[in-house]
Amino acid sequence: MLEIKPSTKNWNTRGEDTAARLKDGSAYAKGKIVAAEDTVKLLEAVLRPGDKVNIEGDNQKQADFLAKQLCEVDPTKVHDLHMIQSTLSIPEHLDVFEKGIAHKLDFAYAGSQGKRLAQMVQNGGVELGAIHTYLEMYSRYFIDLVPRVSLVTADAADAEGNIYTGFSTEDTPAIVEATKFNQGIVIFQVNKIVDKLPRVDIPADWVDYVIESPTPYMLNPLFTRDPAKITNERILKAMMAIKGIYAEYGVKVLNHGVGFDTAAVELILPTFAENLGLRGKICTHWVLNPHPTLIPAIETGWAQAIYSFGSEVGMEEYIKARSDIFAIGPDGTMRSNRAFAQAAGHYAADMFIGSTMQIDRFGNSSTATKNNVAGFGGAPNMGCDAKGRRHVTEAWKKAGEEVANRYELMGDRNRGKKLVVQMITTVSEKGFPGFVEQLDAVALQKNANLDLEPIMIYSDDLTHIVSEVGIAYLHKCHNMEERMNAIRAVAGKTEVGKLEDPEITKKLRKEGIVKLPEDLGVNPAEATRDLLAAKNMKDLVDWSGGLYDPPAKFRNW
Amino acid sequence: MLEIKPSTKNWNTRGEDTAARLKDGSAYAKGKIVAAEDTVKLLEAVLRPGDKVNIEGDNQKQADFLAKQLCEVDPTKVHDLHMIQSTLSIPEHLDVFEKGIAHKLDFAYAGSQGKRLAQMVQNGGVELGAIHTYLEMYSRYFIDLVPRVSLVTADAADAEGNIYTGFSTEDTPAIVEATKFNQGIVIFQVNKIVDKLPRVDIPADWVDYVIESPTPYMLNPLFTRDPAKITNERILKAMMAIKGIYAEYGVKVLNHGVGFDTAAVELILPTFAENLGLRGKICTHWVLNPHPTLIPAIETGWAQAIYSFGSEVGMEEYIKARSDIFAIGPDGTMRSNRAFAQAAGHYAADMFIGSTMQIDRFGNSSTATKNNVAGFGGAPNMGCDAKGRRHVTEAWKKAGEEVANRYELMGDRNRGKKLVVQMITTVSEKGFPGFVEQLDAVALQKNANLDLEPIMIYSDDLTHIVSEVGIAYLHKCHNMEERMNAIRAVAGKTEVGKLEDPEITKKLRKEGIVKLPEDLGVNPAEATRDLLAAKNMKDLVDWSGGLYDPPAKFRNW
């Protein structure tokens, strides 16, 4: 028998510790405002060894001033930090480990820093927690990776500490909410402190310190693709995808991965797909960043609504002028909350389609290479079957009905399935094979001592592969053997494709499990750049009526 | 060739329409404040036929005043509304259809209104969109079920229209963000308009009108279970679950469904599980409403962190006094944002365990009955494998390694699996069988003309069934035939259980696919109420040091 003993212990240790830190920090603040030159002192005052620290670290915008300042703190005072951040984008995100200030890392995407990260993991400079998908990472902020101190960024603040996030909302609201409502400390760098904000996005009550940064936060145009670089081969894949997948399933709500393959799809909607009479029947609702290559489809009435994860440099005036399409706030600028966009990409979208670098013989795919711990950002969350989904759309239902091994999964019951599509080139221009016996991810796991091979999309989630050879309808396969044969049929001149048995492929084509261009009524000779609604950046600007303002590196006029 | 033609069309129709409505509504407002008696006139001014209207409609708290007022608008002016709301909890949520004001419905959970809803769907009074899981529903708010007008509720507002949501945050932030950032109109009922809020949760910029309600919003203690009603049989299941699942997999982050089965688990953590030396090894991090039956586990140091979907009536002072455990804001009250809690339940939790009413011979389960469109709330989102998850924990990894048909799913690669556990009684006290050949959900689909049978958890997501007979480890089964045999082995005296082959069961027990109490080292004779750390509501109050204040209906002292 357990005796009932009401507690006498202190249950407010976090709150008391926070109060003590804020007291130390207040020496450098007037109200909530801290001068930029006092940032290092502030950080030394409020950070403690071993803290979980969130540095924003978004996909696009960066709290780069705070990242630099964090590298300047005294490592005898502040050390062994556990960095929890969705993205590693700038050298300072790793410098902080080299300087002995941080030790452990949990993250989602490492883009340009992936190679250096792999080396640092191998030589023990970074203790790696896990690689996440974005929404998974945010989820853990509320549970077991709770930030003690968060270093975040926004467009503007007022003197009270109210925050305006502007076009690129991204991770900021999720980070701040998780931090502040677990009694953590929130420090903002803002581009400007102003008298009156265009709107308040985060109330001052949730903010501890605000610093006007000497330079505006870094923002990268990650989702801009120049139509001039789209090859005929990509246009062929786009045509096959539109006929064989978009139209076949009636896909209305979707996400596009970034890359030239899906940019080609976006640019032939107003031409090729228009001629097929598909406007209003496909591609009406998008979970997508404001891709400039989507402008012609918007202008010609294809896109009815777009909800974004972040913003895109140069698209601001265009977005403002298309307020029926984008998620616009009371001040006329976009709201782009990555947490909700990722939830929508998982649960509201009928299809995720994007490019990959490698697919193995089973249908697992990854963009990982042998010595680059890059992570996958949002792809695993969107490129997986949403098993909790219960609402029915035509696309989801049809894909579910086609699942050949359904009885093994759920007996005689029914369920839909998300369309998860990977576009790939069988052999790249540089000669790298897209189809491989074993993913580089397997070697990377060993090289970087990861807990799991970093696979972006697993075979049982993948419904279609589109290569320049044709489309494999993987969910229509009855078992792994048939699936492997379907993959071989579209794998071209790779080690996987060489195992193709033409007789089996013939049978799979009859069953609609493999479709080549002629099966889809697509003529490869018509796959030319003439189909692109915009052929270069200048065309995109013209489509926008001059509202789109591309960054200088995308201009040649 | 498509000609590039910059647009001349009006792209701000939503914004202009909103401005016109707000102008009409301003006749009844001083600033943003509207008198309660002008609510019907305000609604008639800002609503238009066919609008998508979100009425909050949470799991626990209700915008009940606004729901009542909406029933009073003139149906010749306001009609054919499309109601989008997570929960139908009060008669007014359906009255609005009977009065010809609303016509279409999308929702997630209908609890007490489910039977009436089924009838109204059958006789054409309600056109049913879809039944969602909560996070799926919120996701669509941002994409294709965007609220034009939202009627929401909170604790308090100030004169400018800043909002304080208090303990029961629930759906409010997701609804308001989706509405306001698509140029919709946000109307709050609040319990009090005050001079100075304890904290601002939603900035006034996001709010159009505020009404001080004549009565505080309704809030139901849905998650309170009286320990006095826990039977020995439930205690036996809890003991088996703790040894055979919680301890077996080392489950640290988890969600409990509501019910006496999981209440029994919560109440024997400080006794049975303590004696097994499991404290700190299991059940450290919870995604869970503040269940009163969790108080003894909190007091004895079992729970390290709890993040909640909503609040629970009577727990307020206890939560405030345990600020190291709960997600507390700057004012000392809890933040309980259902959108983030559901994301965490999907992605951060290693296990979902809850009770169900029916499991079919394949392992699909549902709480649906033949004439009750109740929906499932959050269960499908938490009770499914999180296919996008990439971080590794001991529990997730071990479950994944045990998946017997792994090769068919992903070839020679590896992945973890979420533990999804259903607790069930083979035959209820009233004689209803828990195991059935066919779920009532199948009949309900026909009766209510649904697009899909409302299945709560699908067989391929379910890893374990715990009945009073024993535990079936379904993911260890190689195929559907073996899975059906494992289910029969724990199905007792039901039509499913009668098909059990004792020889096969013996084999399954040898392979660890079925475990009976003796296989688990659990002695049924020890499964008595003596193990409960609290035997009644009074014990819970005592454990809390008098801080927990149960609603009157739970008090008998």
Side-chain angles (χ1 to χ4, degrees):
Chain A
M1 284 291 301
L2 185 70
E3 201 190 334
I4 298 177
K5 281 180 294 195
S7 172
T8 53
K9 97 178 205 194
N10 180 1
W11 294 89
N12 188 31
T13 59
R14 277 198 304 195
E16 289 171 9
D17 177 51
T18 300
R21 296 180 188 213
L22 292 177
K23 202 177 158 218
D24 291 353
S26 67
Y28 309 103
K30 284 182 187 162
K32 295 186 174 178
I33 310 299
V34 175
E37 58 267 28
D38 288 333
T39 307
V40 170
K41 279 180 252 164
L42 174 73
L43 294 175
E44 288 177 349
V46 302
L47 288 167
R48 300 285 181 273
D51 273 353
K52 288 190 177 67
V53 175
N54 192 314
I55 189 151
E56 190 177 10
D58 285 330
N59 185 311
Q60 294 171 289
K61 76 173 175 179
Q62 304 301 329
D64 51 345
F65 174 69
L66 291 175
K68 286 185 180 78
Q69 298 290 297
L70 183 62
C71 290
E72 301 302 321
V73 302
D74 180 347
T76 65
K77 293 181 190 162
V78 179
H79 51 84
D80 289 304
L81 299 183
H82 178 174
M83 304 305 296
I84 49 179
Q85 62 194 91
S86 68
T87 305
L88 287 93
S89 300
I90 53 178
E92 289 82 356
H93 289 157
L94 286 173
D95 293 348
V96 73
F97 289 88
E98 271 179 356
K99 288 172 185 262
I101 296 162
H103 180 61
K104 189 169 179 183
L105 173 67
D106 276 276
F107 78 109
Y109 184 66
S112 59
Q113 305 301 314
K115 276 190 188 168
R116 186 172 160 216
L117 174 58
Q119 285 164 358
M120 289 175 69
V121 171
Q122 277 175 274
N123 67 28
V126 174
E127 181 194 345
L128 198 57
I131 309 175
H132 304 76
T133 195
Y134 292 132
L135 190 59
E136 174 188 17
M137 182 96 203
Y138 311 151
S139 295
R140 294 188 70 193
Y141 291 168
F142 289 87
I143 308 298
D144 62 342
L145 287 181
V146 177
R148 197 74 191 90
V149 177
S150 284
L151 311 177
V152 287
T153 184
D155 276 25
D158 65 19
E160 284 74 48
N162 293 294
I163 298 293
Y164 171 61
T165 50
F167 274 92
S168 292
T169 305
E170 302 197 56
D171 302 15
T172 321
I175 297 171
V176 172
E177 182 162 337
T179 307
K180 199 61 199 165
F181 291 95
N182 279 293
Q183 309 198 48
I185 294 170
V186 174
I187 303 174
F188 265 97
Q189 76 168 68
V190 298
N191 296 348
K192 267 264 170 260
I193 295 176
V194 298
D195 287 339
K196 170 87 183 131
L197 296 171
R199 72 181 188 225
V200 176
D201 289 320
I202 296 174
D205 289 341
W206 303 23
V207 177
D208 295 296
Y209 299 106
V210 175
I211 298 158
E212 191 176 80
S213 168
T215 49
Y217 59 71
M218 181 188 293
L219 183 65
N220 288 312
L222 295 179
F223 295 88
T224 299
R225 292 293 177 275
D226 185 344
K229 296 187 180 166
I230 294 175
T231 59
N232 291 351
E233 185 200 289
R234 292 196 199 271
I235 293 166
L236 173 62
K237 284 191 279 181
M239 293 164 73
M240 288 196 284
I242 286 173
K243 281 195 95 168
I245 304 173
Y246 291 72
E248 172 83 8
Y249 296 90
V251 177
K252 291 198 166 175
V253 186
L254 72 162
N255 169 259
H256 271 188
V258 60
F260 288 104
D261 283 322
T262 43
V265 173
E266 290 157 19
L267 288 168
I268 68 170
L269 289 177
T271 57
F272 177 75
E274 181 75 29
N275 289 337
L276 294 172
L278 294 172
R279 179 153 43 92
K281 295 179 184 159
I282 64 169
C283 299
T284 54
H285 292 74
W286 299 77
V287 188
L288 197 73
N289 273 326
H291 289 188
T293 41
L294 207 58
I295 292 172
I298 294 170
E299 295 300 303
T300 52
W302 275 78
Q304 293 172 18
I306 300 168
Y307 188 70
S308 300
F309 309 85
S311 187
E312 188 65 7
V313 179
M315 286 288 282
E316 295 82 358
E317 292 305 313
Y318 178 74
I319 291 166
K320 271 189 193 175
R322 296 295 176 268
S323 53
D324 280 350
I325 306 296
F326 292 95
I328 299 284
D331 72 325
T333 58
M334 188 171 62
R335 178 74 169 181
S336 54
N337 185 331
R338 181 163 288 119
F340 282 123
Q342 286 289 340
H346 184 74
Y347 268 131
D350 289 331
M351 179 166 81
F352 166 77
I353 178 167
S355 296
T356 192
M357 281 171 60
Q358 285 188 338
I359 298 179
D360 75 11
R361 65 194 194 277
F362 304 111
N364 303 297
S365 62
S366 185
T367 52
T369 55
K370 288 177 189 179
N371 293 296
N372 185 342
V373 185
F376 304 117
N381 171 66
M382 293 189 286
C384 72
D385 197 13
K387 303 293 296 290
R389 174 174 168 168
R390 296 294 181 267
H391 76 282
V392 177
T393 59
E394 181 193 337
W396 184 77
K397 191 178 174 196
K398 180 173 163 60
E401 284 166 354
E402 290 176 350
V403 171
N405 66 339
R406 218 169 57 197
Y407 179 85
E408 283 298 315
L409 301 175
M410 57 191 131
D412 60 7
R413 303 271 49 86
N414 301 298
R415 183 176 64 202
K417 190 169 172 73
K418 179 186 278 187
L419 296 162
V420 177
V421 185
Q422 293 277 266
M423 301 177 90
I424 192 162
T425 300
T426 58
V427 181
S428 77
E429 283 175 29
K430 291 180 181 168
F432 293 114
F435 293 90
V436 295
E437 283 291 302
Q438 188 167 75
L439 297 172
D440 282 355
V442 178
L444 176 60
Q445 184 195 8
K446 287 186 193 109
N447 292 346
N449 195 24
L450 306 178
D451 286 330
L452 194 66
E453 315 107 328
I455 288 173
M456 184 163 76
I457 296 175
Y458 283 93
S459 176
D460 59 335
D461 282 322
L462 190 64
T463 57
H464 300 79
I465 298 172
V466 182
S467 80
E468 76 278 11
V469 177
I471 302 179
Y473 293 70
L474 299 180
H475 61 296
K476 292 186 183 179
C477 298
H478 295 80
N479 51 47
M480 184 50 83
E481 184 56 32
E482 191 167 73
R483 180 170 281 245
M484 291 167 80
N485 280 319
I487 294 168
R488 288 169 187 148
V490 297
K493 290 175 181 166
T494 61
E495 55 181 344
V496 174
K498 282 174 192 160
L499 297 173
E500 183 196 5
D501 177 334
E503 283 308 309
I504 293 179
T505 298
K506 204 180 286 177
K507 180 176 158 284
L508 293 175
R509 286 175 66 189
K510 255 191 205 151
E511 292 172 5
I513 293 176
V514 169
K515 296 187 188 177
L516 306 188
E518 61 254 48
D519 304 324
L520 293 162
V522 168
N523 180 356
E526 289 170 12
T528 71
R529 288 181 42 82
D530 283 345
L531 285 179
L532 298 177
K535 294 181 179 53
N536 50 52
M537 296 300 287
K538 183 66 168 53
D539 283 356
L540 293 175
V541 174
D542 289 347
W543 268 115
S544 78
L547 291 166
Y548 172 44
D549 180 25
K553 67 171 176 175
F554 289 102
R555 289 172 176 272
N556 60 357
W557 66 95
Chain B
M1 282 291 301
L2 183 71
E3 201 189 334
I4 297 176
K5 283 181 294 196
S7 171
T8 53
K9 98 178 205 196
N10 179 0
W11 293 90
N12 188 31
T13 60
R14 276 196 305 194
E16 290 173 7
D17 177 49
T18 299
R21 296 181 188 213
L22 292 178
K23 202 176 157 216
D24 292 352
S26 67
Y28 309 102
K30 285 184 186 157
K32 296 186 174 178
I33 309 299
V34 176
E37 57 268 28
D38 289 332
T39 306
V40 170
K41 280 180 250 164
L42 174 74
L43 293 174
E44 289 178 350
V46 302
L47 287 166
R48 300 284 182 272
D51 273 354
K52 287 191 178 68
V53 176
N54 193 314
I55 188 150
E56 190 176 10
D58 285 329
N59 185 312
Q60 294 172 288
K61 77 173 173 179
Q62 305 301 329
D64 51 344
F65 174 69
L66 292 175
K68 286 187 178 78
Q69 298 289 299
L70 184 62
C71 291
E72 301 302 320
V73 301
D74 180 349
T76 65
K77 294 181 192 163
V78 180
H79 50 85
D80 290 306
L81 298 184
H82 178 172
M83 304 306 296
I84 49 178
Q85 62 194 92
S86 68
T87 303
L88 287 93
S89 300
I90 53 178
E92 289 82 358
H93 290 157
L94 287 173
D95 293 348
V96 74
F97 289 88
E98 270 179 357
K99 287 171 185 264
I101 297 161
H103 181 61
K104 189 168 180 184
L105 172 68
D106 275 276
F107 78 110
Y109 184 67
S112 59
Q113 305 301 314
K115 277 191 187 168
R116 187 172 159 214
L117 174 59
Q119 285 165 359
M120 290 175 70
V121 170
Q122 276 175 277
N123 67 28
V126 174
E127 181 193 345
L128 197 58
I131 309 174
H132 304 75
T133 195
Y134 292 131
L135 190 59
E136 174 188 17
M137 181 97 204
Y138 311 151
S139 295
R140 293 189 71 193
Y141 292 167
F142 289 87
I143 308 297
D144 63 343
L145 287 181
V146 177
R148 197 75 191 89
V149 177
S150 284
L151 310 178
V152 287
T153 185
D155 276 25
D158 65 19
E160 284 74 48
N162 292 295
I163 299 293
Y164 171 61
T165 49
F167 273 92
S168 291
T169 305
E170 301 196 55
D171 302 15
T172 320
I175 297 171
V176 172
E177 181 162 338
T179 306
K180 199 61 199 164
F181 291 94
N182 279 292
Q183 309 198 46
I185 293 170
V186 173
I187 303 174
F188 264 97
Q189 78 168 67
V190 298
N191 296 348
K192 269 261 171 260
I193 295 177
V194 299
D195 287 336
K196 170 85 183 130
L197 296 172
R199 72 181 189 223
V200 177
D201 288 320
I202 296 174
D205 290 341
W206 302 23
V207 177
D208 294 296
Y209 300 107
V210 174
I211 298 158
E212 190 176 80
S213 169
T215 49
Y217 60 70
M218 182 187 293
L219 183 65
N220 287 313
L222 295 178
F223 296 87
T224 299
R225 291 293 176 277
D226 186 343
K229 296 186 179 169
I230 295 175
T231 59
N232 290 351
E233 185 201 289
R234 293 196 199 272
I235 295 165
L236 173 61
K237 283 192 279 182
M239 292 164 74
M240 286 195 286
I242 287 172
K243 281 195 94 168
I245 304 174
Y246 292 71
E248 172 83 8
Y249 296 89
V251 177
K252 290 197 166 177
V253 186
L254 73 161
N255 169 258
H256 271 188
V258 60
F260 289 103
D261 283 323
T262 43
V265 173
E266 290 157 18
L267 287 168
I268 69 171
L269 289 177
T271 58
F272 177 74
E274 181 75 29
N275 288 339
L276 294 171
L278 295 171
R279 178 153 45 90
K281 294 179 184 159
I282 64 169
C283 300
T284 53
H285 292 73
W286 299 76
V287 188
L288 197 73
N289 273 326
H291 289 188
T293 40
L294 207 57
I295 293 172
I298 294 169
E299 295 300 303
T300 51
W302 276 77
Q304 292 172 18
I306 300 168
Y307 188 70
S308 300
F309 309 84
S311 187
E312 187 65 7
V313 179
M315 286 288 282
E316 294 83 358
E317 291 305 314
Y318 179 73
I319 291 166
K320 272 190 195 174
R322 296 295 177 268
S323 54
D324 279 350
I325 306 296
F326 292 96
I328 299 284
D331 73 325
T333 60
M334 188 173 59
R335 177 75 169 180
S336 53
N337 186 329
R338 181 165 286 119
F340 282 123
Q342 285 290 339
H346 184 73
Y347 269 131
D350 290 330
M351 178 166 83
F352 166 77
I353 177 166
S355 295
T356 193
M357 281 171 60
Q358 285 187 338
I359 297 178
D360 76 10
R361 64 194 192 279
F362 304 112
N364 303 298
S365 62
S366 185
T367 53
T369 56
K370 287 176 188 178
N371 293 295
N372 186 343
V373 185
F376 304 118
N381 171 67
M382 293 189 286
C384 73
D385 197 12
K387 303 295 295 289
R389 174 174 168 169
R390 295 294 181 267
H391 76 280
V392 177
T393 59
E394 180 194 337
W396 184 76
K397 191 177 173 198
K398 180 172 163 62
E401 285 166 352
E402 289 176 351
V403 171
N405 66 341
R406 219 169 57 198
Y407 180 85
E408 283 299 314
L409 302 175
M410 57 191 132
D412 61 7
R413 303 271 48 86
N414 300 299
R415 182 174 66 201
K417 190 169 173 73
K418 181 188 276 187
L419 296 162
V420 177
V421 184
Q422 292 278 263
M423 299 177 90
I424 193 162
T425 300
T426 58
V427 181
S428 77
E429 282 176 28
K430 291 179 180 169
F432 294 114
F435 293 88
V436 295
E437 283 291 304
Q438 189 167 74
L439 296 173
D440 282 355
V442 178
L444 176 60
Q445 184 195 8
K446 289 187 191 109
N447 292 346
N449 197 23
L450 305 178
D451 286 330
L452 193 68
E453 316 107 325
I455 288 172
M456 183 163 77
I457 295 175
Y458 284 93
S459 176
D460 59 336
D461 283 322
L462 190 64
T463 57
H464 299 79
I465 297 172
V466 182
S467 79
E468 77 277 13
V469 177
I471 302 179
Y473 294 69
L474 300 179
H475 61 296
K476 292 186 183 178
C477 297
H478 295 79
N479 51 48
M480 185 50 84
E481 184 55 32
E482 191 166 74
R483 181 171 281 247
M484 290 166 80
N485 281 320
I487 294 169
R488 288 169 187 147
V490 298
K493 292 174 180 167
T494 61
E495 55 181 343
V496 174
K498 282 174 192 158
L499 297 173
E500 184 197 3
D501 178 334
E503 283 308 308
I504 294 178
T505 299
K506 204 180 286 178
K507 181 177 157 286
L508 294 174
R509 286 176 66 189
K510 254 191 208 154
E511 292 172 4
I513 292 176
V514 169
K515 295 188 188 177
L516 306 188
E518 62 255 47
D519 304 325
L520 292 161
V522 169
N523 179 358
E526 290 170 11
T528 71
R529 288 180 44 80
D530 282 345
L531 285 178
L532 298 176
K535 295 183 178 54
N536 50 51
M537 296 299 286
K538 183 65 167 55
D539 282 356
L540 293 175
V541 174
D542 290 345
W543 268 115
S544 78
L547 292 165
Y548 172 45
D549 179 25
K553 69 172 173 175
F554 288 102
R555 288 172 177 273
N556 61 359
W557 66 94

